Amino acid sequence: MAIMNSTAPSAEQILGPTPGQILRRKIFGHRGIVIGGGIFLVIVLMALLAPLLAPYDPYHQDLINRMAPPVWQERGSWEHILGTDQVGRDYLSRLIYGARISLLIGIMAALISGIIGTVMGVAAGYFGGKVDLVVTFLITCRLSLPVILVSLAVVAIVGGSLEMVILVLGLLLWDRYAVVMRASTQQIRSLDYVAAAQAAGCSTWYILAREVLPNVMNQLIVVATLEFAHAVLLEAALSFLGLGVQPPLPSWGLMISEGRNYILFDPWLIAIPGTALFLLLLAVNLLGDGVRDVTVPENRA
Amino acid sequence: MLLYTAKRILLAILVSLTVSALVFSLLYLSGDPATALAGERASQADIMAIKAAYGFDQPVYIQYFKWLAGALQGEFGESVYFRMPVIDLIVDRLPVTMMLGVSAMIFALALSIPLGVLAAMYPNSLIDRAALLLAVVGQALPSFWFALMLIVLFAYWVPILPASGSDSWQHFVLPTIVLGYYATPAFMRLTRTGLLDVLSSDYVRTARAKGLSPAKVLFKHALRNAIIPVVSLAAVQFGFMLTGSIIIETVFALHGAGFLAWESISRSDFPTVQAVLLLFSWFYIILTFLADLLNAWLNPRIRVA
Amino acid sequence: MTTTLSVENLRVSIPLAAGVLHAVRGISFEVARGETLCLVGESGCGKSLTSLALMNLLPSRAKREADRIALNGTDLLKLGERGMAKVRGSSMAMIFQEPMTSLNPAYTIGNQLEEGIRLHKGVSAKEARERAVYLLEKVGITAASSRLGQYPHQLSGGLRQRVMIAMALMCGPELLICDEPTTALDVTIQAQILHLIKDLQREFDMAVILITHDLGVVARVADRVAVMYAGEIIESGDVGEIFSRPTHPYTQSLMNCIPVPGKTAHGERLGTIPGIVPSMIGEMTGCAFANRCGYARDICLEPLVTRELVPNHAVRCVRAEEVAAINAGETLRAGSPA
């Protein structure tokens, strides 16, 4: 008799794993995301739970106990696990609180520049024409300015502080957002479902919010992670050069700068905050790469 | 091609002007530059004197045009701190920065391009993973920290290189490595991605189908196309490296233009700051323009319209 | 006619995350000098991979196995990459589907035409150039010598495909493989290119393998046809024989899908083939078409052999005779000639 004469595809052929399951599998299977995400989570927790984790007040100076070495060196003790700095502040506590500064600056600067850049980029990509011309010109001008120099100059003129650094970086780091969002929006704009929405009479706001934005979100996240890292790195550089966050704030960059004079005697003063910076930047880069690999694998670099 | 060049020149000029206006206006962020220049304990008379000497009493746009006109002739006034013409200062410091930039660029390209090529030829192999690791580490490594660690390592623990100064070529080794490594990730990734794309292209398949040797396919057909974006990136990265040199020169006490920038900024030496900012920006604009031209020239689709 | 290419039991498999994809599952065929063999089948049946397998240009992950692939007696399987590179472009040449992207945008037409022959035959630049001009004119490109200095982007799709054909012929190959050469071209150009290939075959006495999914192309150029489905050749023979007496149910269904002027009545429904191609991942036994075949029975799940019911007409169907009988009966009942 007739065997499996079904002409319709079988159930197994249609029902695969759901998109959600596929995504979850991809995320947790991706080594970069897992490692980067793990490290990032640790640092975030460190920042959030700083008052609970830090054994001492990061600003408390104990001049008798200056330059105490970390616990793994011969004169180190468990009282100050990572030693103390040149004015006797506990290094572990400063490290933990320093996470707050780096994360705060990274997030705020990425947010501010993200809003500016996304608005500019999406507008340029969607409306084209003169808007595009103006935005592209602005991007070119911004790209011609050396970011470090401008930040240094502004901070020198206006004065350095946490808020100032966030503002300056936020107002300067929007270029990549604008470029990427513009390109993505242009791509989406030319697709049929946008034309369909327009033909159906949807307002521009509606189209932007419901058709364009959800589809550029992936790229946005990737850029956001990159700019977060960029901001953290720049703040550290600025503080290192003395024109960023001001003492006695426990910025990791500042800690490196302050410890610079003692690298002969106690290289841990710069090794520890530097490693923390490196790990944070590494984690964020891995996360950004991972998000891109998972969502837009065609752009894999 | 001619039209393309003309358009690019026009764009470069417009951007240069806009940037110069921005640079000039930075001065006014503090409110009154004369007060800032005079310092905290200056008297009213001092401030008036400074205003007259530097022309701060004139309308802003006049000041701007005067400054711009001077800049185009290489006349930037006198450095407040160093007490010498700014242009002389810059000319004096430029060679060190250029030397550092060029050697760092050579180092970066020599390291990243072969690695990128190998990574693309053997994807997911050991060398591919090593190249990617190198890139990821390079992106996460703060250059000033890397510089300090290298100093500790090679100037103190294993003392084979000097820690600071700019007298001999050995003084440039560590700075070159740090600055070069800063640019390596971008080059490596671009080479790798570009070559991967090209290697899977139809025309490379055609070349193989003609029986050309793997070397010929790689060097003549694949790299020729894959290298185009790398060349324009190189021009652009050179600009970035120049700004990165600010940190490097400061850490290694190399007396270049980058160090000068930091010195003048931290001492509120406005004429010098403005000059350095403007020149760095203009240099960057020229580099981008050259990169565009090179890109177009290498791409027959644009060169032969 | 001398046999130029002889292929026995060619298999191509690609390891995937979900398992091993058996894209080509043991096909055998021959092509002779002056003869055009058309490999026809729907997307995914393995025909393009077959052509790449012959040239050994498969993607690195794919694995090729065969009992024999002989070009004029030389077993290509025994040649290493170096030996294969000597054969490619000189004894056997290939043209591809997308003329727009198959030429290197950075070099002139002349450069790309000449590099193959200079490598394989060691001729001088002047001789290579003369041959290039000769062949460009042969493929119908006017002002050939000035074209040599042009870049690919300056030519239209049809012109580029002609250049590709000229390039393939530079070293005088004995076998020309064309992978869907006209699919990416305008309909008006398609006919010209096919005509050109046929003319060149006659003039240069080549064996031609032409891969297509278009039965119209087959009708126009083929001497012999091999119909592929799910990685196997399910029917092969002379083109006239296959078109007039398709034996395999799949081939019959394909013929039913095409309206034929004179035979297909106005308003009559065109045939369709219900179902989808089965997954070729993992082991498969029996007929791959069974799940969509109206004549399928349990015996169709048993391992198959290719048989010749009529000389020079091979078919891979266990129930071929019964199917033929059923059709004959229906034809008789319907009262229309076959």
Side-chain angles (χ1 to χ4, degrees):
Chain A
M1 250 331 285
I3 21 86
M4 205 179 81
N5 214 1
S6 63
T7 51
S10 70
E12 296 94 64
Q13 284 175 317
I14 305 180
L15 288 177
T18 69
Q21 288 174 322
I22 297 178
L23 190 63
R24 218 166 300 142
R25 221 180 285 168
K26 275 202 225 169
I27 290 180
F28 287 105
H30 192 285
R31 239 191 325 215
I33 293 189
V34 171
I35 298 180
I39 298 178
F40 190 66
L41 200 61
V42 167
I43 297 181
V44 166
L45 284 175
M46 208 162 78
L48 287 175
L49 301 173
L52 295 173
L53 292 171
Y56 297 85
D57 175 357
Y59 301 100
H60 171 75
Q61 301 182 7
D62 183 5
L63 293 166
I64 310 173
N65 250 334
R66 288 185 306 160
M67 305 287 293
V71 68
W72 54 80
Q73 296 220 288
E74 20 176 280
R75 292 188 307 113
S77 78
W78 284 99
E79 271 204 21
H80 294 281
I81 299 179
L82 292 181
T84 62
D85 66 4
Q86 67 279 10
V87 289
R89 295 174 293 201
D90 178 51
Y91 233 43
L92 178 61
S93 309
R94 283 182 73 77
L95 190 73
I96 294 177
Y97 272 90
R100 289 191 157 189
I101 295 186
S102 292
L103 286 175
L104 185 67
I105 292 182
I107 294 175
M108 292 305 296
L111 201 63
I112 297 175
S113 57
I115 295 176
I116 298 175
T118 305
V119 166
M120 287 175 71
V122 171
Y126 191 78
F127 296 110
K130 294 213 181 71
V131 177
D132 189 11
L133 230 55
V134 168
V135 169
T136 311
F137 183 72
L138 286 175
I139 295 177
T140 315
C141 287
R142 164 42 263 274
L143 285 177
S144 310
L145 291 171
V147 175
I148 289 197
L149 262 183
V150 172
S151 324
L152 282 173
V154 168
V155 169
I157 294 174
V158 181
S161 71
L162 188 61
E163 297 81 11
M164 208 57 228
V165 170
I166 292 179
L167 195 61
V168 169
L169 292 179
L171 291 174
L172 280 175
L173 293 180
W174 49 264
D175 54 293
R176 194 188 299 233
Y177 285 105
V179 168
V180 174
M181 287 295 105
R182 176 177 170 273
S184 307
T185 308
Q186 275 178 339
Q187 215 180 8
I188 306 277
R189 176 112 187 40
S190 63
L191 292 178
D192 287 337
Y193 56 81
V194 171
Q198 284 175 321
C202 299
S203 74
T204 309
W205 282 113
Y206 185 88
I207 296 179
L208 281 174
R210 293 292 298 268
E211 312 279 0
V212 176
L213 263 173
N215 289 294
V216 298
M217 202 47 93
N218 295 330
Q219 307 263 43
L220 185 57
I221 295 178
V222 175
V223 177
T225 56
L226 284 175
E227 293 306 316
F228 174 92
H230 201 185
V232 169
L233 189 56
L234 275 176
E235 178 272 318
L238 288 176
S239 305
F240 174 77
L241 291 173
L243 286 166
V245 162
Q246 296 301 309
L249 282 172
S251 148
W252 289 338
L254 203 48
M255 284 161 77
I256 296 179
S257 160
E258 286 167 352
R260 182 180 166 189
N261 298 325
Y262 306 94
I263 51 177
L264 277 186
F265 314 110
D266 193 357
W268 297 112
L269 281 179
I270 62 168
I272 291 171
T275 309
L277 253 181
F278 172 68
L279 285 174
L280 175 59
L281 292 170
L282 186 69
V284 173
N285 275 317
L286 285 175
L287 269 178
D289 279 357
V291 170
R292 191 203 48 225
D293 282 352
V294 165
T295 59
V296 200
E298 309 89 59
N299 293 351
R300 192 187 307 243
Chain B
M1 183 74 185
L2 217 55
L3 188 62
Y4 184 83
T5 312
K7 275 202 221 169
R8 283 275 166 276
I9 293 181
L10 188 62
L11 183 66
I13 294 178
L14 276 173
V15 174
S16 306
L17 283 175
T18 313
V19 161
S20 69
L22 278 169
V23 166
F24 183 78
S25 59
L26 272 183
L27 203 54
Y28 289 84
L29 276 176
S30 61
D32 183 13
T35 319
L37 213 53
E40 294 182 326
R41 272 166 290 163
S43 66
Q44 225 14 39
D46 290 338
I47 297 182
M48 298 300 286
I50 289 183
K51 271 203 177 156
Y54 283 90
F56 289 142
D57 45 356
Q58 295 174 307
V60 179
Y61 59 91
I62 304 251
Q63 291 183 45
Y64 168 62
F65 282 121
K66 276 196 166 174
W67 174 74
L68 186 61
L72 288 168
Q73 294 168 47
E75 181 51 60
F76 289 99
E78 191 178 275
S79 159
V80 168
Y81 177 73
F82 293 95
R83 306 228 174 271
M84 55 187 281
V86 172
I87 191 69
D88 291 344
L89 254 182
I90 295 179
V91 168
D92 183 47
R93 301 288 195 101
L94 215 48
V96 169
T97 304
M98 282 299 145
M99 206 150 45
L100 176 62
V102 169
S103 55
M105 178 63 80
I106 295 176
F107 175 79
L109 290 174
L111 181 61
S112 53
I113 292 186
L115 263 181
V117 169
L118 284 172
M121 280 169 58
Y122 305 106
N124 295 318
S125 66
L126 202 64
I127 194 143
D128 187 20
R129 292 189 207 277
L132 281 177
L133 185 68
L134 198 74
V136 165
V137 166
Q139 281 167 277
L141 204 56
S143 53
F144 57 90
W145 185 63
F146 187 38
L148 288 175
M149 298 302 274
L150 280 183
I151 289 180
V152 171
L153 205 60
F154 290 106
Y156 296 116
W157 283 1
V158 187
I160 50 174
L161 291 168
S164 60
S166 45
D167 305 321
S168 68
W169 67 266
Q170 284 101 320
H171 286 94
F172 280 86
V173 172
L174 289 180
T176 299
I177 294 177
V178 177
L179 191 55
Y181 191 43
Y182 172 68
T184 301
F187 283 126
M188 205 287 300
R189 293 193 145 183
L190 190 61
T191 309
R192 182 182 174 275
T193 321
L195 194 58
L196 266 178
D197 271 346
V198 167
L199 283 176
S200 61
S201 69
D202 289 343
Y203 57 83
V204 165
R205 180 180 58 179
T206 306
R208 288 205 188 108
K210 283 198 283 194
L212 299 177
S213 70
K216 194 133 205 195
V217 172
L218 178 68
F219 287 106
K220 179 175 175 189
H221 286 267
L223 272 178
R224 171 66 174 76
N225 286 293
I227 214 73
I228 297 177
V230 177
V231 166
S232 42
L233 182 69
V236 161
Q237 280 282 68
F238 195 62
F240 285 146
M241 282 167 118
L242 248 32
T243 59
S245 72
I246 294 174
I247 299 176
I248 311 279
E249 288 177 18
T250 309
V251 172
F252 287 100
L254 287 171
H255 286 271
F259 192 31
L260 176 65
W262 182 79
E263 285 180 294
S264 54
I265 287 175
S266 49
R267 289 176 171 96
S268 298
D269 186 355
F270 290 138
T272 314
V273 174
Q274 284 183 308
V276 170
L277 256 175
L278 188 67
L279 287 175
F280 267 57
S281 304
W282 279 359
F283 188 65
Y284 187 74
I285 294 173
I286 295 177
L287 277 177
T288 318
F289 169 70
L290 287 176
D292 276 347
L293 276 190
L294 203 52
N295 207 353
W297 187 76
L298 284 173
N299 187 347
R301 271 179 274 225
I302 306 181
R303 178 167 31 115
V304 185
Chain C
M1 289 211 280
T2 46
T3 305
T4 306
L5 180 74
S6 167
V7 176
E8 283 171 37
N9 199 12
L10 173 64
R11 286 150 288 161
V12 175
S13 51
I14 305 175
L16 297 176
V20 177
L21 176 70
H22 297 285
V24 179
R25 302 186 295 124
I27 62 175
S28 307
F29 57 90
E30 283 181 357
V31 196
R33 267 207 125 105
E35 175 183 63
T36 303
L37 168 70
C38 262
L39 271 182
V40 65
E42 56 189 87
S43 313
C45 70
K47 50 193 201 296
S48 283
L49 282 176
T50 302
S51 60
L52 290 175
L54 292 175
M55 300 276 283
N56 205 8
L57 283 177
L58 289 167
S60 50
R61 280 195 312 166
K63 216 165 54 119
R64 170 185 84 161
E65 291 167 298
D67 290 346
R68 195 168 129 88
I69 302 180
L71 181 67
N72 282 328
T74 318
D75 192 351
L76 297 180
L77 290 170
K78 299 226 171 61
L79 295 176
E81 181 55 29
R82 276 243 176 111
M84 203 55 213
K86 287 213 184 85
V87 171
R88 270 188 226 127
S90 59
S91 312
M92 62 195 284
M94 186 161 171
I95 62 176
F96 301 95
Q97 179 177 345
E98 313 88 350
M100 296 305 274
T101 49
S102 292
L103 288 168
N104 194 326
Y107 296 101
T108 60
I109 308 286
N111 188 319
Q112 297 185 60
L113 279 169
E114 292 157 28
E115 67 179 340
I117 193 175
R118 296 205 64 190
L119 169 71
H120 288 295
K121 310 278 186 187
V123 300
S124 71
K126 185 160 171 294
E127 288 169 332
R129 199 167 183 279
E130 280 166 5
R131 173 113 178 130
V133 170
Y134 168 70
L135 280 174
L136 281 179
E137 281 167 359
K138 269 269 174 277
V139 298
I141 295 183
T142 52
S145 30
S146 61
R147 294 284 191 190
L148 289 182
Q150 285 190 320
Y151 286 90
H153 69 270
Q154 295 172 288
L155 303 175
S156 69
L159 277 182
R160 284 190 222 190
Q161 193 63 306
R162 289 176 194 262
V163 169
M164 291 293 291
I165 296 174
M167 202 157 74
L169 297 177
M170 283 296 283
C171 299
E174 282 126 38
L175 170 66
L176 178 67
I177 305 175
C178 310
D179 187 358
E180 308 231 32
T182 55
T183 307
L185 299 172
D186 283 340
V187 172
T188 45
I189 313 283
Q190 280 187 18
Q192 293 174 14
I193 299 288
L194 290 174
H195 201 77
L196 175 64
I197 293 178
K198 269 315 250 193
D199 281 346
L200 291 170
Q201 172 183 39
R202 237 171 282 134
E203 179 160 350
F204 293 103
D205 198 26
M206 296 182 292
V208 172
I209 299 179
L210 196 133
I211 295 164
T212 179
H213 63 268
D214 187 340
L215 286 172
V217 170
V218 177
R220 201 184 279 271
V221 296
D223 296 316
R224 286 175 44 237
V225 184
V227 181
M228 280 188 78
Y229 181 79
E232 292 179 314
I233 293 181
I234 48 105
E235 188 160 9
S236 62
D238 287 338
V239 63
E241 169 74 15
I242 301 287
F243 268 79
S244 56
R245 272 180 293 273
T247 315
H248 194 285
Y250 175 63
T251 320
Q252 291 173 352
S253 312
L254 277 184
M255 300 297 171
N256 281 338
C257 296
I258 315 169
V260 180
K263 283 206 202 144
T264 317
H266 278 293
E268 186 181 321
R269 293 196 121 189
L270 289 178
T272 57
I273 310 179
I276 58 174
V277 182
S279 161
M280 297 194 280
I281 299 178
E283 293 307 315
M284 294 171 67
T285 44
C287 178
F289 190 58
N291 68 324
R292 304 166 77 184
C293 181
Y295 305 98
R297 297 288 178 270
D298 285 343
I299 192 175
C300 298
L301 296 179
E302 309 277 312
L304 302 178
V305 280
T306 307
R307 310 177 285 141
E308 275 193 9
L309 295 187
V310 170
N312 283 326
H313 183 159
V315 72
R316 196 173 165 79
C317 176
V318 162
R319 303 197 67 224
E321 295 90 344
E322 290 118 317
V323 170
I326 296 173
N327 284 340
E330 281 176 0
T331 315
L332 234 47
R333 277 196 300 276
S336 56

